[in-house]
Amino acid sequence: MTADIRAGVPTRPAAAPVETPKPRAHHGRWGVHIFLMGVSLAFLAPLLLAVYASLRPYEETAQHGYFSFPRHLSFAYYRRAYTESGMGKYFTNTLLIAVPGVLITLFLASFVAFAVSRLKLRGGLVLLMFFTAGNLLPQQVIVTPLYVLFNKIPLPWWMSDSQMMYDSYWAVIIVNIGFQLGFCVFVLANFMRTLPQEILEAAIVDGAGVWTQFWRITLPLCRPALAALGTLEFTWIYNDFLWALIFISNPDKLPITSSLNNLRGQFFTDYNLLAAGSVLVALPTILVFLLLQRHFIAGLTLGSTKG
């Protein structure tokens, strides 16, 4: 409160004008949401159509079309697809290929990424470019050389019943490791560069060696990136069809993607039965994503914010 010097009457200071909040523009946000929903539906449409077709009899879709209203829905095709394709045996074969492939790839990639990004090796950038350039090589180019090479590499009986690299799980595992290693090294090296250097400096002062810096300090901090890469690598190796078809001749060793061929007849193919088999084949990858969803999303959003 202030006093008027001339009149001697106390007066109040003038109140500041109150600004009315302006209405926010929601049109842009609604447009982004509609666009993202459209893209999501476009990606989910084939899967939803496969699920819808797998629940309907083939005679019904042949008469009324796949986009007609369903008259009868059942899970009979799923039971037939699992039993007629021998999916349990092929699923075990896939695990024998995918699980070691993912673990060995991440283990070796974390070693190389740590050496390139944290140890400041001479020529580390060239080494990183060498691993990344391996992904640019078309896979079909080396099919014939690898086929000849694997037929000349012997293996002990406890690693391969054929006692050769060819017609063994190790042939498919090694090829997948070779093609997936460069991508994992690139991602992990860039992530390790974002880790605070002060953590390693404090560990070095406390007497930590290189192995302690890698195994007990750096690797636990890379858990989100490893989970994201593990999800992607499992999906890619699990869905592989080319390498197993080339390097495995024994039909009892083929992975689960090859089991779908057992659902195709010589003169007639029930595509609703094939759709049910495709959905069953896709379920393990969906389960892995749901189990690692939190770490997968955290790994994808790393580096998007500071602090």
Side-chain angles (χ1 to χ4, degrees):
M1 181 180 294
T2 59
D4 193 345
I5 300 177
R6 293 175 296 177
V9 180
T11 59
R12 294 178 178 271
V18 180
E19 296 182 358
T20 57
K22 298 181 180 180
R24 297 181 179 179
H26 296 282
H27 300 287
R29 184 176 300 176
W30 277 106
V32 172
H33 289 174
I34 293 174
F35 173 76
L36 294 177
M37 290 176 60
V39 173
S40 301
L41 289 177
F43 277 94
L44 290 175
L47 178 60
L48 296 177
L49 180 60
V51 174
Y52 183 56
S54 65
L55 298 174
R56 304 177 62 186
Y58 178 81
E59 295 78 10
E60 179 181 312
T61 55
Q63 181 180 0
H64 302 285
Y66 285 96
F67 296 97
S68 59
F69 188 78
R71 275 77 171 174
H72 179 71
L73 298 176
S74 69
F75 292 95
Y77 273 134
Y78 288 94
R79 292 191 295 269
R80 285 185 54 191
Y82 186 83
T83 56
E84 293 182 11
S85 65
M87 199 166 290
K89 173 183 64 177
Y90 292 107
F91 179 70
T92 303
N93 296 340
T94 303
L95 291 181
L96 293 176
I97 296 173
V99 173
V102 172
L103 295 180
I104 296 175
T105 301
L106 295 181
F107 185 69
L108 296 178
S110 60
F111 268 114
V112 180
F114 178 77
V116 170
S117 61
R118 310 301 286 180
L119 298 183
K120 299 180 180 179
L121 295 178
R122 183 176 301 177
L125 181 59
V126 178
L127 182 62
L128 180 61
M129 293 175 61
F130 174 77
F131 275 92
T132 307
N135 292 331
L136 305 179
L137 182 67
Q139 299 180 0
Q140 295 79 4
V141 175
I142 62 173
V143 167
T144 303
L146 286 178
Y147 179 84
V148 175
L149 179 64
F150 288 166
N151 275 284
K152 296 181 179 181
I153 298 178
L155 290 179
W157 62 269
W158 54 269
M159 294 184 64
S160 173
D161 54 3
S162 64
Q163 298 186 4
M164 298 294 295
M165 180 70 74
Y166 179 75
D167 197 22
S168 69
Y169 297 125
W170 290 105
V172 184
I173 292 173
I174 290 175
V175 171
N176 280 298
I177 291 173
F179 274 98
Q180 304 299 334
L181 189 61
F183 173 74
C184 294
V185 169
F186 177 78
V187 174
L188 287 175
N190 285 282
F191 172 73
M192 289 181 182
R193 287 194 178 97
T194 64
L195 300 178
Q197 186 66 27
E198 292 79 7
I199 298 178
L200 285 185
E201 293 176 355
I204 294 173
V205 171
D206 291 338
V210 176
W211 175 254
T212 303
Q213 299 173 35
F214 167 74
W215 186 255
R216 301 187 60 181
I217 298 175
T218 303
L219 208 58
L221 296 176
C222 297
R223 186 179 302 173
L226 291 173
L229 286 175
T231 306
L232 292 175
E233 294 300 320
F234 180 82
T235 303
W236 292 337
I237 298 178
Y238 179 90
N239 291 324
D240 174 65
F241 180 75
L242 173 65
W243 298 119
L245 194 64
I246 295 174
F247 299 131
I248 295 180
S249 61
N250 189 350
D252 293 332
K253 296 181 180 180
L254 292 175
I256 196 170
T257 50
S258 304
S259 66
L260 297 179
N261 282 335
N262 298 336
L263 300 178
R264 300 175 62 93
Q266 184 177 1
F267 302 103
F268 169 75
T269 300
D270 190 340
Y271 291 102
N272 294 20
L273 178 63
L274 192 61
S278 301
V279 174
L280 289 177
V281 169
L283 285 180
T285 57
I286 298 175
L287 179 62
V288 170
F289 173 76
L290 293 177
L291 293 176
L292 300 177
Q293 180 181 8
R294 180 170 61 89
H295 298 290
F296 179 76
I297 296 176
L300 292 181
T301 56
L302 289 172
S304 58
T305 58
K306 294 182 178 180

